[in-house]
Amino acid sequence: GQEVVAERAIDIAAKKGHWVVLQNVHLVARWLPSLEKKLEQYSEESHLNYRLFISAEPAAAREYHIMPQAILESSVKITNEPPTGMFANLHKALDNFTQDTLEMCSKEIEFKSVLFALCYFHAVVCERRKFGAQGWNRVYPFNVGDLTISVNVLYNYLEANNKVPWEDLRYLFGEIMYGGHITDDWDRKLCRTYLEVYMNQDMIDSELFLAPGFAVPPNTDYEGYHQYIDEELPPETPYLYGLHPNAEIEFLTKTSDNLLKTVFEMQPRDASGDSGESVSKEDKVKEILDELSEKLPEPFNIEEIM
């Protein structure tokens, strides 16, 4: 029922020079042609300051594209692509918080250590998806909301307890926050195991390694954690996710295939093997049609047949 509201907002904005934001338009596929007409109408007659912003979820595959071509062609397009690799994922996870977040808990050392481990855990579970079935048995929609809610839960539990309730925290993160997405028993076990390795008393009492050569950082400020990642994080390998190096063979093969397939699809002309000259697709099709036309018999004289 938001289509009428959106149209009214666009009408007012176009006259008065307001800005309008339409979020998640992929949910109203039937209304998109009407939106296309509105855009066309106000592209010629509207206030100079009028702007329209549209957000939509990217389609999973080409056949699921529902955005009308005219909207796409007349828009300035901005995409927010998910980060790739542990380095980018860890920075991105940490970017969801600020210096104020790090200072809000009375048990500062414990809070900061677990928060950093949570960011690392979040980066691992998100990035494991790229390894296909070797990463997770099924594809799960882990998102930033899982991380931020987990940090809120962490804060509440640390404030309410004298000691860090490791068992409770691991259960909440692994069975409810992140585990709520997981439907496969083995994947659930994997998630629990990660948390047992990344979150335990060792991170407070001694040194806990999140990956070979990468320990939980000492107590520092927000910028210090970003700097620690820049300086201390080992080069990208499956070891960072607890996987064998061979795990990335399938991922790299698939990436190479996609790259070459895309390059191949973008080629405007196909090379003709016989003559060595370039022949376009259209010429090739015309050639086949001409060939078929020649093979066809003469049309029957219907009058004579009658």
Side-chain angles (χ1 to χ4, degrees), residues 243-255:
L243 289 163
H244 189 274
N246 287 351
E248 68 178 349
I249 291 173
E250 186 187 345
F251 158 68
L252 292 173
T253 306
K254 200 179 282 183
T255 308

Side-chain angles (χ1 to χ4, degrees), residues 23-30 32 54-59 66-67:
Q23 296 191 70
N24 298 326
V25 294
H26 60 279
L27 300 176
V28 284
R30 288 182 184 174
L32 290 177
I54 300 172
S55 80
E57 201 174 69
I66 55 166
M67 293 295 286

Side-chain angles (χ1 to χ4, degrees), residues 69-234:
Q69 196 172 340
I71 293 180
L72 293 173
E73 285 177 356
S74 61
S75 305
V76 175
K77 288 161 285 294
I78 301 171
T79 60
N80 183 12
E81 295 194 4
T84 54
M86 177 55 76
F87 183 82
N89 267 287
L90 197 47
H91 274 301
K92 185 90 171 177
L94 204 54
D95 283 340
N96 293 296
F97 309 105
T98 61
Q99 182 62 35
D100 294 339
T101 314
L102 298 180
E103 293 171 356
M104 70 182 187
C105 186
S106 56
K107 297 184 181 66
E108 195 176 306
I109 294 172
E110 291 89 340
F111 180 73
K112 285 180 176 179
S113 298
V114 180
L115 186 144
F116 190 87
L118 254 178
C119 288
Y120 190 87
F121 169 73
H122 177 79
V124 166
V125 296
C126 289
E127 197 62 7
R128 262 189 89 109
R129 288 180 295 208
K130 76 179 183 184
F131 295 105
Q134 289 168 315
W136 297 105
N137 288 327
R138 295 182 185 145
V139 179
Y140 302 115
F142 300 120
N143 56 63
V144 173
D146 301 324
L147 176 62
T148 51
I149 292 168
S150 296
V151 169
N152 291 337
V153 168
L154 169 65
Y155 167 73
N156 292 334
Y157 267 70
L158 288 183
E159 290 293 313
N161 294 276
N162 294 324
K163 288 186 174 181
V164 180
W166 296 109
E167 197 63 42
D168 295 354
L169 289 173
R170 285 196 294 259
Y171 180 83
L172 286 164
F173 302 152
E175 299 287 345
I176 299 171
M177 303 307 170
Y178 286 86
H181 296 295
I182 298 172
T183 53
D184 184 89
D185 290 342
W186 288 105
D187 286 343
R188 192 176 291 277
K189 190 174 185 181
L190 173 68
C191 186
R192 280 202 305 268
T193 307
Y194 266 133
L195 289 165
E196 281 166 16
V197 173
Y198 294 157
M199 287 177 203
N200 55 59
Q201 192 59 35
D202 286 353
M203 65 165 49
I204 310 299
D205 297 342
S206 56
E207 197 173 32
L208 178 75
F209 284 88
L210 299 170
F214 188 64
V216 172
N219 187 6
T220 180
D221 61 0
Y222 182 71
E223 289 304 322
Y225 284 117
H226 276 294
Q227 196 176 338
Y228 182 82
I229 296 167
D230 290 337
E231 293 171 1
E232 300 296 329
L233 187 69

Side-chain angles (χ1 to χ4, degrees), residues 297-306:
E298 287 295 314
F300 293 113
N301 188 325
I302 302 299
E303 283 181 15
E304 281 183 14
I305 290 171
M306 292 298 283

Side-chain angles (χ1 to χ4, degrees), residues 269 278-288 290:
R269 308 176 80 79
S278 293
V279 181
S280 70
K281 272 185 182 174
E282 289 79 5
D283 292 342
K284 239 181 187 177
V285 171
K286 190 174 182 304
E287 221 172 85
I288 294 166
D290 291 342

